[in-house]
Amino acid sequence: MPRETFLNLPAAKQEAVINAALEEFAKYPYERASLTRIVNNAGIAKGSMYQYFENKRALYLYIVGIVYDLKREYLWDVFENEQDFFGTLIKYYQRSYLFAIEHPLHHQVAINFWESKDETLHNELTENKELRANDFIRLLEIARAKGQVKQDICPEAAFFVYHSVGKELIDKFSDLPAEKTDEHLQFIQNVLRILAEGLQA
Amino acid sequence: MPRETFLNLPAAKQEAVINAALEEFAKYPYERASLTRIVNNAGIAKGSMYQYFENKRALYLYIVGIVYDLKREYLWDVFENEQDFFGTLIKYYQRSYLFAIEHPLHHQVAINFWESKDETLHNELTENKELRANDFIRLLEIARAKGQVKQDICPEAAFFVYHSVGKELIDKFSDLPAEKTDEHLQFIQNVLRILAEGLQA
DNA sequence: TGTATATGTGACCGTGTAGTCATATAATAA
DNA sequence: TTATTATATGACTACACGGTCACATATACA
């Protein structure tokens, strides 16, 4: 998505642009984010930005791509060699939490992208949500075959539940102080335990 | 929040303003909603609006107030005389669903308000979330005392789970075709059953 | 050196925004 | 009728936005 000009740039300058954009898109969702602020914070002229990217949208998609690449790299091995359905889910959300405290800007950009209702934006980067949905359904089927999961469960409802709780967990990560990491990892476990075992006595 | 001038207006004109505002705030979140569009759709002059409301924010808070009053009226009796914890929750979300299909504009305004991250807005209208949290905790305590709910459950985690799933359920209502009402009421029940009984075999 | 090419720049454009205000009109009271 | 008060109006202001473009400045090559 960036123009060749941008790729030819010295690394330091590229990073200045990327960092300024990350900060802006972390602070504001796409529509409210300001290109003017980005170029000011990056220390470049407005016109330069349009040498690097076709428009605001191209810059945004590039940044979101960077974010998801990093997150994929961070999570790719969670679904490898998994034995236990519920253990894998705990690992997934705990790892996501660690990503959020290690890369708060990237995390917040992902949240904002995710909450944006602009469908044309999502259509250009749908792989992620779909991937996660398919991963979950696949895991669920395997776990059901192994007898780890109730046989008479409605898969759509199960996905919906995990999707909802997972979304909110990841959302919550933004507000959490990084010091109490252990508490939060425990909280994730408590939440997922309720999903596994239910509330009913 | 409206000025006296607005309250003195003939009912038809008041409604025209309210409806135009409802449509705009249903279609766009606060920041992207346009007062210019509202006054055009309401068929009044820009200046008139500023005779009725101090500013855009005052209009918005008034509209959100109307929405929540209506929703409260719609739901007030759900928590009256409840016997069964899980039955009450099913009733609550099913009723919320009916609200959404009966008042789609109000519903969407509530969603948009709810998703807005502007804390100063929320601080002016927090009663709702807090009320629901307290209601839930209270219900949970009673249910636990009655032995309907596991004794060793973490209440914060339980609230978190129901809060997340409820939020997403209500969100989902916006996209649902109204014809398949029975199916959707059933889906709500399936989802809540998972929360009650868990997924684990 | 001179020439061609790549990159940098900020004033400027068109557009949309929230909000204002002098003025016009309607309704009410004396 | 006249004087007074409440309401209606839309051109206007100030501002912020994304995007453009003629021009300036490097860098590379001959």
Side-chain angles (χ1 to χ4, degrees):
Chain A
M1 278 299 185
R3 293 219 158 99
E4 226 183 303
T5 312
F6 181 72
L7 301 174
N8 295 338
L9 245 43
K13 200 165 190 176
Q14 280 190 32
E15 276 165 30
V17 171
I18 291 174
N19 285 336
L22 274 173
E23 279 178 36
E24 183 72 9
F25 291 127
K27 201 165 179 182
Y28 306 97
Y30 176 70
E31 314 247 14
R32 285 202 288 134
S34 159
L35 245 167
T36 310
R37 275 195 298 257
I38 294 177
V39 297
N40 287 344
N41 290 335
I44 64 170
K46 191 82 145 298
S48 298
M49 186 62 97
Y50 283 86
Q51 308 256 31
Y52 306 154
F53 296 91
E54 194 188 345
N55 50 29
K56 183 185 176 184
R57 190 188 191 80
L59 169 64
Y60 183 62
L61 290 175
Y62 176 65
I63 296 295
V64 172
I66 288 178
V67 166
Y68 274 105
D69 284 348
L70 186 63
K71 191 158 186 185
R72 221 188 324 265
E73 189 191 323
Y74 211 92
L75 288 170
W76 74 270
D77 66 321
V78 168
F79 296 104
E80 299 289 313
N81 311 317
E82 94 280 351
Q83 307 293 339
D84 170 42
F85 177 72
F86 297 103
T88 301
L89 291 176
I90 289 179
K91 201 163 66 171
Y92 176 80
Y93 287 111
Q94 288 185 338
R95 191 76 75 82
S96 294
Y97 167 64
L98 295 176
F99 175 82
I101 57 179
E102 199 161 330
H103 304 285
L105 288 184
H106 294 72
H107 171 66
Q108 195 56 49
V109 171
I111 298 279
N112 284 339
F113 172 75
W114 208 47
E115 285 182 353
S116 120
K117 295 270 159 63
D118 185 335
E119 292 193 12
T120 67
L121 271 181
H122 283 268
N123 290 342
E124 302 201 40
L125 278 155
T126 39
E127 335 104 41
N128 277 280
K129 201 150 90 179
E130 289 307 321
L131 252 176
R132 272 171 50 186
N134 288 339
D135 278 346
F136 182 87
I137 299 285
R138 186 174 55 77
L139 285 184
L140 188 68
E141 288 306 324
I142 294 172
R144 185 144 74 169
K146 284 189 197 162
Q148 292 173 353
V149 162
K150 288 200 176 85
Q151 296 297 325
D152 63 336
I153 218 74
C154 162
E156 289 80 19
F159 173 68
F160 184 84
V161 165
Y162 274 85
H163 177 72
S164 311
V165 172
K167 180 175 175 178
E168 199 69 10
L169 270 177
I170 287 173
D171 233 51
K172 194 183 163 80
F173 295 161
S174 310
D175 313 327
L176 295 178
E179 305 87 46
K180 301 190 178 175
T181 302
D182 290 342
E183 267 183 47
H184 302 142
L185 292 174
Q186 181 61 47
F187 182 77
I188 293 172
Q189 221 165 341
N190 288 345
V191 164
L192 292 176
R193 210 183 112 238
I194 290 178
L195 296 193
E197 299 174 10
L199 265 187
Q200 206 161 37
Chain B
M1 276 301 186
R3 293 220 159 98
E4 226 184 302
T5 311
F6 181 72
L7 302 174
N8 295 337
L9 245 42
K13 199 164 189 176
Q14 279 190 33
E15 277 165 31
V17 172
I18 291 174
N19 286 336
L22 275 172
E23 279 178 36
E24 183 72 10
F25 291 127
K27 201 165 178 180
Y28 306 97
Y30 175 71
E31 314 248 14
R32 284 202 291 133
S34 159
L35 245 167
T36 309
R37 277 195 297 258
I38 294 176
V39 297
N40 287 343
N41 290 335
I44 64 170
K46 191 79 146 299
S48 297
M49 187 60 99
Y50 284 87
Q51 306 257 31
Y52 306 153
F53 295 91
E54 196 188 343
N55 50 31
K56 182 185 176 184
R57 191 188 190 81
L59 169 65
Y60 184 63
L61 290 175
Y62 176 64
I63 296 294
V64 172
I66 288 178
V67 166
Y68 274 105
D69 285 348
L70 185 64
K71 189 156 188 186
R72 221 188 322 268
E73 189 192 323
Y74 211 92
L75 288 170
W76 75 271
D77 66 321
V78 168
F79 295 105
E80 297 289 312
N81 310 318
E82 95 280 351
Q83 306 292 338
D84 170 44
F85 177 73
F86 297 103
T88 301
L89 290 175
I90 290 179
K91 201 163 66 171
Y92 176 80
Y93 286 111
Q94 288 186 338
R95 191 75 74 81
S96 294
Y97 167 64
L98 296 177
F99 175 82
I101 55 180
E102 199 162 330
H103 303 286
L105 288 184
H106 294 73
H107 171 67
Q108 195 53 51
V109 171
I111 298 279
N112 283 338
F113 173 73
W114 208 46
E115 284 182 354
S116 121
K117 295 270 160 63
D118 184 335
E119 291 193 12
T120 66
L121 272 181
H122 283 267
N123 290 342
E124 303 200 41
L125 279 154
T126 38
E127 334 106 38
N128 277 280
K129 200 151 89 180
E130 290 306 322
L131 251 176
R132 273 173 48 187
N134 287 338
D135 279 346
F136 182 88
I137 300 284
R138 185 174 54 78
L139 285 184
L140 188 70
E141 287 306 325
I142 293 172
R144 185 144 74 170
K146 284 189 196 163
Q148 292 173 352
V149 162
K150 288 200 177 86
Q151 296 297 325
D152 63 335
I153 217 75
C154 163
E156 289 79 20
F159 173 69
F160 184 84
V161 165
Y162 275 84
H163 177 72
S164 311
V165 173
K167 180 175 174 178
E168 201 69 10
L169 270 176
I170 287 173
D171 234 50
K172 193 183 163 82
F173 296 161
S174 311
D175 312 326
L176 295 179
E179 306 88 45
K180 302 190 179 175
T181 302
D182 289 342
E183 266 182 49
H184 302 142
L185 293 175
Q186 180 61 47
F187 182 77
I188 292 173
Q189 221 164 341
N190 289 346
V191 165
L192 292 177
R193 209 182 114 240
I194 290 178
L195 296 194
E197 299 173 11
L199 266 187
Q200 205 161 39

